[in-house]
Amino acid sequence: MDRRKLGALVVLWAMAFASSPGHGLRALRRTTGGRRGSTGLTGQDANGVPLRRSKRGWMWNQFFLLEEYTGTDMQYVGKLHSDADRGDGSVRYVLTGDGAGTVFKIDEKSGDIHATKRLDREEKAYYILYAKAVNRFTNQALEGQSEFIIKIHDINDNEPKFTKDPYMARVPEMSDIGASVIQVTATDADDATYGNSARVVYSILEGQPYFSVDPETGLIKTALPGMDREVKENYQVVIQAKDMAGQMGGLSGTTTVSITLSDVNDNPPRFTKTLYDFRVPESLEPGSVVGVVRALDADIGENAEMDYRIIGSDGPGVFDIATNRSTQDGVIVLRKPLDFEKKHQFGLRLQVENVHLNPRFFSMGPFRDEASVKITVEDVDEPPVFERPSYIMEVKEDAAKNTVIGAVSASDLDDKRSPIRYTIDWRTDMDRVFNIHSGNGSVYVLRELDREENAWHNISVMATEFNNPQQISRVPVFIRVLDVNDNAPAFAANYETFVCENAKANQRIQTIGATDPDEPLAGHRFFFRVAPEAAGKANFSVHDNKDNTAWILTQRNGYNSLQKSVYHVPVVISDGDFPMQSSTNTLTVRVCSCDREGNMKLCNAEALTARAGLSTGALVAILLCVIILLMIVVLFAALRRQRKKEPLIVSKEDVRDNVVSYNDEGGGEEDTQAFDIGTLRNPEAIEESKQRRDILPETFYPPLRRPAPPPTYDNNGDVRDFISQRLQDNDGDPTAPPYDSLATYAYEGNGSVAESLSSLESVTTEGDQDYNYLSEWGPRFKKLADMYGGEDSGGES
């Protein structure tokens, strides 16, 4: 039965229901206790006053109307009627409230109510309206306003709708039967309190036999055990929701549920090979990659994460393995240097295991695997190897040339066993102090040594394979120069000593010490004494304190600065080493006047000069230097004044025909004698333009005039005017000679960066240059072309 027939049946049923007595189609009517329109008595009160029953002007009920009416006429709702209506047309019925005048219309004469359009219960389930009856002519209310309700009866006109489409769900693989996946929900807009229009039942259309759905709740569950993600990962399940409790004729809706099996760690890792073979050169640096091994795991994500480790090796500590977390590969890394000559091959035993284990699947077997690795070391031609990482040698500073001080030794560990050649890196021994025997590595001295100048020498010795000079190794050699007592001691400082005129005998006037650049093992021990030649007539004595110091003592009472102002005391200082070294050092003692406490008051001029450290010879040398500098300055100035300018033409034989020379080239910074610059600054020296008188003009053209430059107000204005006039004369003179001439009107002289344009010094002979190109320069160079061209042609004839 289609929806249209069902709707008509419901309308007929509603009309029959409305026409039955007691269902309020006459919603508005007058009722009395007796006959219609009279007042009935109901009894008497306590005082005997008769009681009257009040009138009920309206009696109302609910109206019921089916939704989704499909008839062509307006749907009849019901009829309003008042007991005051005598049928003479004097009563007018008025309807107000929800939808009055639009959705519902009333016949104001008969009181019939009709629905003007099809109603939808899901849009509005009921309408509240108000009715009253008034006198048509006086507009006076015959009945009071009464409220009534029009309810919309529901029909099954809405299909169930799911809250999502599609649904996305995940369930772990290998789940047991009945494992919950997801719950779907469908809603029906029909009235759930009336009939089965909104009662929904769920069923599965697609997805069997893997999944099932609860018909009441919509919960989807697994229906098969052991679903393996590695076999099939994604499933599409179609769920149907049908109203009317799933009965025939109910409306339905569908949705799609996309179910993905999530991974669990149910697969162990497996090596792709049982034996891996790698070859590496022995020169491979520690930390470098030896090779990569790979294990595969059917799982994904963290379930496929693996750990590699070495469980066996015939070279412990030489190799290590780590996991590359991005690719889950095992990377074998070298930890110690390889040596082909010691071991040619290594064997490893590897194990791989999952990081995250699932106890649920332990029964499926161990989640690990093992594989073997063979690593072959390849021989590489390596540099020679020294026996020691460094060498320390010692040599005395008085060692003779070619003295051997030690030897280095290196060998080629390769199978070839190439001979070794030794050399010194001269960049570490720039003074060429040492040399080495190229065959046996003996280091010897080339020149004299001085410990006090350089106590250590750090050189680098190179060992080179004779068969392959590119294989070089180096070793540092530290050479210590041993001390020899070859320096005599001397005063420890430049002592300034004075003695007072009123000094007493055996008075100490100075304490002296000594220094020695040598460094004896037992330390310094110095001995002081007066020189033997001065011991007999000494005015002073030396007292050795036995602690590497000595006192200078006076030998008599009183000293006279007028008789002798300066004394020189020769002191002999000896060291205690072998061979003993000694030197005589002179101590200068000045005689000064002192007060009673021994404080110096005054010394003579000679003593002060000596104290200042500036002797008469030094003053004379300074004066001589000043005089020589003054003579050089004077001589240089005289030479500049007498300097003559170099002639323009050096040789008289180098003069060519018709060469006009103006001896006025100059004005530069280095040529100030060419002419007087004052002449150019004098406006009266500017002459008018003159025609050339050295040749006969072939044609005459009026001279061209350059526009006058703007006036200037500096000191060089006359010079600029002169130069401008000469430029105009040369530019406009057609009779100017086409051959070379000197006509310089600027300041460039000798030494100027602007070189001369003259060709007088450009070539030495006429045969050095071809002048045929002059004929292409136009009429201005016609005579020059004829002159040089004619000479060439005449020479050839």
Side-chain angles (χ1 to χ4, degrees):
M1 182 182 297
D2 59 9
R3 295 182 59 185
R4 180 171 296 180
K5 293 181 178 180
L6 178 61
L9 180 60
V10 172
V11 170
L12 294 176
W13 173 81
M15 291 177 64
F17 176 81
S19 61
S20 61
H23 284 80
L25 280 181
R26 290 175 54 108
L28 301 179
R29 63 175 181 171
R30 298 284 304 277
T31 59
T32 60
R35 64 177 182 218
R36 187 172 299 174
S38 63
T39 300
L41 298 176
T42 58
Q44 295 178 353
D45 60 7
N47 297 323
V49 179
L51 299 177
R52 298 182 180 272
R53 185 170 52 184
S54 61
K55 300 180 180 178
R56 290 188 57 198
W58 299 94
M59 186 186 71
W60 52 272
N61 288 312
Q62 290 183 347
F63 290 95
F64 296 92
L65 189 65
L66 290 177
E67 65 172 337
E68 304 294 344
Y69 174 69
T70 57
T72 57
D73 298 333
M74 289 190 298
Q75 188 177 6
Y76 182 72
V77 178
K79 184 179 181 64
L80 299 179
H81 184 73
S82 173
D83 289 342
D85 188 0
R86 304 300 181 180
D88 55 359
S90 61
V91 177
R92 182 168 64 89
Y93 297 97
V94 179
L95 185 66
T96 59
D98 293 341
T102 57
V103 180
F104 302 100
K105 288 186 177 182
I106 187 171
D107 189 337
E108 62 181 13
K109 294 181 178 180
S110 62
D112 293 331
I113 301 174
H114 292 82
T116 60
K117 62 179 182 179
R118 185 171 59 180
L119 302 178
D120 188 356
R121 189 203 65 85
E122 288 71 35
E123 181 179 348
K124 191 173 179 63
Y126 62 91
Y127 297 85
I128 300 176
L129 293 100
Y130 303 92
K132 63 181 179 178
V134 298
N135 189 289
R136 182 181 300 273
F137 305 106
T138 63
N139 206 27
Q140 183 180 1
L142 302 178
E143 304 285 351
Q145 180 174 277
S146 180
E147 176 185 287
F148 64 96
I149 299 175
I150 299 179
K151 282 192 173 182
I152 309 301
H153 267 303
D154 180 53
I155 64 172
N156 189 20
D157 58 343
N158 291 279
E159 69 276 3
K161 292 183 179 180
F162 285 92
T163 56
K164 293 182 181 179
D165 189 16
Y167 285 85
M168 308 297 295
R170 298 178 65 86
V171 63
E173 64 173 332
M174 311 300 291
S175 296
D176 297 331
I177 297 178
S180 298
V181 179
I182 192 175
Q183 186 175 14
V184 297
T185 303
T187 59
D188 196 322
D190 293 327
D191 189 359
T193 63
Y194 182 76
N196 293 327
S197 299
R199 184 180 176 184
V200 178
V201 175
Y202 300 95
S203 61
I204 185 168
L205 299 182
E206 296 181 12
Q208 300 94 343
Y210 307 103
F211 301 95
S212 63
V213 62
D214 189 299
E216 298 294 336
T217 62
L219 179 61
I220 300 176
K221 301 178 182 180
T222 58
L224 282 181
M227 286 190 293
D228 194 350
R229 185 200 63 83
E230 289 73 31
V231 176
K232 185 176 181 180
E233 183 176 6
N234 297 311
Y235 295 85
Q236 298 293 327
V237 178
V238 178
I239 303 297
Q240 182 189 66
K242 190 174 183 182
D243 59 11
M244 298 299 292
Q247 298 177 5
M248 185 177 297
L251 304 179
S252 63
T254 60
T255 187
T256 301
V257 182
S258 179
I259 301 176
T260 301
L261 297 182
S262 58
D263 186 61
V264 297
N265 191 10
D266 59 340
N267 292 280
R270 292 289 180 262
F271 280 106
T272 57
K273 297 180 181 179
T274 57
L275 176 63
Y276 293 87
D277 191 357
F278 301 108
R279 305 181 70 87
V280 295
E282 63 173 334
S283 60
L284 192 67
E285 295 290 336
S288 302
V289 176
V290 175
V292 177
V293 298
R294 175 170 295 179
L296 300 180
D297 193 327
D299 298 321
I300 59 174
E302 67 175 16
N303 296 319
E305 292 181 1
M306 314 173 203
D307 276 338
Y308 296 85
R309 62 174 178 270
I310 298 175
I311 59 176
S313 173
D314 56 0
V318 179
F319 303 96
D320 195 4
I321 189 169
T323 304
N324 185 340
R325 290 303 174 190
S326 61
T327 61
Q328 297 302 318
D329 294 335
V331 182
I332 302 175
V333 181
L334 179 65
R335 290 303 178 198
K336 295 182 180 179
L338 299 175
D339 192 348
F340 173 81
E341 289 71 28
K342 293 182 179 180
K343 191 172 181 61
H344 298 359
Q345 185 174 296
F346 293 88
L348 304 178
R349 188 67 182 170
L350 304 182
Q351 185 184 81
V352 62
E353 186 178 12
N354 280 134
V355 177
H356 305 283
L357 299 177
N358 193 336
R360 178 185 171 191
F361 302 102
F362 281 170
S363 60
M364 299 179 66
F367 282 77
R368 64 177 66 93
D369 196 16
E370 295 181 0
S372 299
V373 178
K374 183 177 73 173
I375 300 175
T376 303
V377 182
E378 297 178 343
D379 187 25
V380 175
D381 191 6
E382 297 174 304
V385 179
F386 283 95
E387 292 181 353
R388 302 178 188 174
S390 63
Y391 291 84
I392 298 179
M393 302 178 182
E394 294 182 345
V395 58
K396 290 187 176 181
E397 60 178 325
D398 61 348
K401 295 181 180 180
N402 298 324
T403 300
V404 177
I405 61 176
V408 298
S409 178
S411 59
D412 183 15
L413 302 180
D414 298 325
D415 292 340
K416 301 177 182 179
R417 302 294 179 183
S418 173
I420 305 300
R421 179 175 177 269
Y422 301 94
T423 57
I424 292 179
D425 187 353
W426 297 118
R427 293 174 297 181
T428 61
D429 187 18
M430 300 295 293
D431 297 331
R432 304 295 178 95
V433 180
F434 305 97
N435 201 355
I436 191 171
H437 192 281
S438 62
N440 57 24
S442 300
V443 180
Y444 56 92
V445 180
L446 278 182
R447 46 182 292 191
E448 294 180 356
L449 302 173
D450 188 358
R451 188 203 66 82
E452 288 71 32
E453 179 181 351
N454 198 346
W456 284 91
H457 295 269
N458 302 327
I459 64 175
S460 178
V461 176
M462 299 182 297
T464 307
E465 289 186 9
F466 187 81
N467 297 331
N468 187 3
Q470 295 181 352
Q471 297 297 333
I472 302 174
S473 59
R474 302 171 183 266
V475 68
V477 179
F478 307 102
I479 302 174
R480 180 184 181 185
V481 181
L482 301 178
D483 184 44
V484 174
N485 191 28
D486 57 349
N487 292 278
F491 276 150
N494 185 17
Y495 297 106
E496 296 181 357
T497 307
F498 71 94
V499 61
C500 295
E501 291 180 326
N502 56 358
K504 304 297 181 179
N506 292 325
Q507 181 179 344
R508 184 178 64 185
I509 62 173
Q510 182 69 51
T511 301
I512 60 175
T515 182
D516 191 338
D518 295 324
E519 293 183 358
L521 296 178
H524 288 293
R525 177 67 179 93
F526 299 117
F527 303 93
F528 302 87
R529 60 188 173 88
V530 178
E533 62 271 15
K537 53 181 179 180
N539 293 291
F540 301 92
S541 64
V542 177
H543 176 74
D544 193 343
N545 297 323
K546 309 301 182 180
D547 60 354
N548 293 337
T549 64
W551 292 344
I552 306 298
L553 305 176
T554 59
Q555 287 285 88
R556 57 187 175 89
N557 294 326
Y559 294 86
N560 192 342
S561 61
L562 296 178
Q563 294 178 0
K564 191 176 181 64
S565 61
V566 177
Y567 291 91
H568 298 286
V569 181
V571 179
V572 177
I573 307 175
S574 303
D575 57 22
D577 204 359
F578 180 83
M580 181 177 290
Q581 300 288 339
S582 63
S583 65
T584 301
N585 301 263
T586 301
L587 179 66
T588 301
V589 182
R590 296 179 289 115
V591 180
C592 301
S593 60
C594 303
D595 56 15
R596 292 183 178 181
E597 285 75 17
N599 298 321
M600 183 180 63
K601 295 173 59 178
L602 180 66
C603 291
N604 57 13
E606 181 181 358
L608 292 175
T609 303
R611 182 179 180 182
L614 190 61
S615 64
T616 304
L619 293 174
V620 173
I622 292 174
L623 291 176
L624 286 177
C625 292
V626 173
I627 292 172
I628 292 172
L629 289 175
L630 291 175
M631 292 178 63
I632 292 174
V633 172
V634 173
L635 181 60
F636 179 78
L639 290 176
R640 288 198 61 180
R641 287 196 299 269
Q642 296 178 3
R643 183 177 60 185
K644 293 183 180 180
K645 182 180 179 182
E646 183 180 358
L648 177 65
I649 302 177
V650 179
S651 177
K652 294 182 180 180
E653 297 178 358
D654 197 22
V655 178
R656 302 175 184 174
D657 294 341
N658 298 324
V659 175
V660 179
S661 175
Y662 300 95
N663 190 18
D664 58 355
E665 180 179 6
E669 296 176 356
E670 297 185 10
D671 188 2
T672 60
Q673 299 178 357
F675 57 87
D676 187 4
I677 193 63
T679 303
L680 293 179
R681 299 181 184 275
N682 187 4
E684 298 178 355
I686 303 177
E687 299 180 358
E688 294 295 330
S689 177
K690 297 181 180 181
Q691 299 294 331
R692 297 294 297 269
R693 295 176 294 177
D694 52 351
I695 59 173
L696 180 64
E698 296 178 357
T699 59
F700 178 78
Y701 295 95
L704 298 176
R705 293 293 180 180
R706 294 177 178 267
T712 58
Y713 301 97
D714 56 0
N715 295 332
N716 296 329
D718 298 335
V719 177
R720 291 190 180 91
D721 296 340
F722 174 81
I723 294 176
S724 300
Q725 184 64 38
R726 289 295 180 268
L727 289 175
Q728 292 177 3
D729 295 343
N730 282 272
D731 291 343
D733 188 6
T735 63
Y739 44 83
D740 290 12
S741 63
L742 293 176
T744 302
Y745 307 105
Y747 293 97
E748 287 79 14
N750 292 338
S752 174
V753 294
E755 300 177 355
S756 175
L757 299 176
S758 174
S759 62
L760 292 177
E761 297 178 0
S762 60
V763 296
T764 57
T765 62
E766 295 178 356
D768 293 340
Q769 185 170 355
D770 184 11
Y771 298 96
N772 292 331
Y773 62 91
L774 295 175
S775 60
E776 301 176 1
W777 285 13
R780 283 190 157 185
F781 296 87
K782 183 175 183 301
K783 181 169 284 294
L784 186 61
D786 294 339
M787 181 176 65
Y788 279 82
E791 290 179 1
D792 293 343
S793 61
E796 292 176 359
S797 63

